[in-house]
Amino acid sequence: MSRLVLASSSRYRRQLLDRLGLPYVWSSPDIDETRRPGEDAESLAHRLALSKAQAVSVDYPGHLIIGSDQLALFDGDILGKPGDFDTACANLRRFSGHKVSFMTGLALIDTRSGRHRVVHDTYHVWFRALSDEEIEDYVSRDQPYDSSGSFRMEGLGIALFERFEGNDPNTLIGLPLIRLCELLREAGVNPLGQGS
């Protein structure tokens, strides 16, 4: 029986976790993602990742719970999910020709011991200059309304960029696997060996 639980309803995060070849179950957390007054990006990313893991941990004693949450950072603003066509297009118009940073908070709770770790990974993308027609065509086709940054890296979003920079491109999809492997090894689960 799996000891791992992914606190997410995202099929893209599940596809990433599938790559590690570890058995797991997933559960959709229900949390308030509203930013608190004065909360900086790192604190927000950490709080949301941990809150997602905590929201499902009560139902999974004796498990390792994975929570993650992603933010887009641009020109001093912290951006979450656009929610609709017009907001997604407006975001992409702002990003056109600029660098945007994506921070993903990652939490791992061990419900046996009550211990947890929270880390984050940041990845940078440079958007190419985009025409209004390209932006509207992209948003109509990929409908990235539930994706921070208003694009789907796992979809047609790759056509929006000039280049990337960072340690783990999976951060753009919302689950930094390199950091996750570190946390899992610390908790006694090694994707390349016999974990506990």
Side-chain angles (χ1 to χ4, degrees):
M1 181 172 151
S2 169
R3 282 190 51 230
L4 276 183
V5 180
L6 177 64
S8 176
S9 57
S10 166
R11 71 180 186 270
Y12 305 113
R13 287 185 178 132
R14 293 197 304 269
Q15 288 168 354
L16 286 177
L17 190 53
D18 287 345
R19 291 171 54 187
L20 299 184
L22 297 168
Y24 70 94
V25 296
W26 62 273
S27 180
S28 182
D30 183 19
I31 68 162
D32 179 2
E33 298 188 24
T34 306
R35 182 180 173 199
R36 294 176 179 165
E39 193 169 34
D40 65 19
E42 183 177 324
S43 299
L44 177 60
H46 283 215
R47 179 176 62 82
L48 294 180
L50 184 58
S51 295
K52 287 181 176 182
Q54 289 170 330
V56 303
S57 65
V58 67
D59 296 324
Y60 293 94
H63 285 72
L64 295 171
I65 317 294
I66 302 164
S68 67
D69 197 80
Q70 183 185 72
L71 309 169
L73 311 174
F74 178 70
D75 199 23
D77 291 333
I78 300 172
L79 306 169
K81 302 173 177 98
D84 59 46
F85 180 87
D86 290 338
T87 305
C89 288
N91 285 343
L92 293 177
R93 285 186 191 99
R94 285 184 70 196
F95 299 163
S96 177
H98 297 285
K99 177 179 110 171
V100 181
S101 299
F102 292 86
M103 178 183 291
T104 299
L106 177 66
L108 185 69
I109 295 176
D110 185 337
T111 58
R112 290 181 305 181
S113 67
R115 289 186 304 235
H116 71 270
R117 283 278 318 273
V118 186
V119 297
H120 69 274
D121 194 54
T122 303
Y123 206 78
H124 310 284
V125 300
W126 279 259
F127 283 78
R128 62 185 184 78
L130 302 166
S131 69
D132 283 348
E133 181 180 4
E134 286 177 313
I135 288 169
E136 291 174 11
D137 180 59
Y138 168 72
V139 173
S140 294
R141 291 170 68 183
D142 242 6
Q143 300 183 4
Y145 310 133
D146 62 349
S147 299
S148 293
S150 304
F151 70 88
R152 294 192 195 284
M153 175 61 180
E154 60 281 6
L156 186 57
I158 192 71
L160 302 172
F161 310 128
E162 287 183 348
R163 66 186 178 99
F164 304 120
E165 181 182 283
N167 294 324
D168 187 346
N170 300 302
T171 298
L172 283 181
I173 304 175
L175 190 64
L177 292 181
I178 292 173
R179 297 304 305 269
L180 178 58
C181 287
E182 291 174 12
L183 297 183
L184 289 173
R185 286 192 302 270
E186 289 174 7
V189 178
N190 187 347
L192 295 178
Q194 299 299 312
S196 60

